[in-house]
Amino acid sequence: MDLEIDKLTEQYTLKIPEILKVAISSLTPEQKKKLNLQIMFGMAKAIHDSRFDPEAYLTAREG
């Protein structure tokens, strides 16, 4: 998938179990890159879903 993504300048801290941190540390750099992209997709989807308004598709009424 070839997406245009702004420069990654911000950091976001995420609490995870230690066992997961250990498993992540054993990933290759390419696998870590893929994981980071999947996490960003998940965050973008959560924001998208939070803004979803079903009425926009179910009624012709305005406002």
Side-chain angles (χ1 to χ4, degrees):
M1 185 178 297
D2 192 23
L3 295 175
E4 184 177 327
I5 299 175
D6 287 351
K7 185 175 180 182
L8 305 179
T9 59
E10 302 301 316
Q11 291 189 13
Y12 181 84
T13 302
L14 182 68
K15 289 191 175 231
I16 59 173
E18 182 179 0
I19 190 168
L20 186 55
K21 182 179 178 183
V22 170
I24 291 170
S25 69
S26 70
L27 296 175
T28 66
E30 189 60 34
Q31 290 169 325
K32 288 179 182 178
K33 185 177 180 180
K34 184 177 179 180
L35 174 62
N36 192 56
L37 192 57
Q38 290 173 338
I39 291 169
M40 286 192 298
F41 283 1
M43 294 169 88
K45 182 166 180 2
I47 293 167
H48 173 77
D49 291 347
S50 75
R51 295 176 178 167
F52 175 67
D53 178 12
E55 285 187 359
Y57 305 97
L58 300 175
T59 182
R61 258 185 315 152
E62 291 188 26

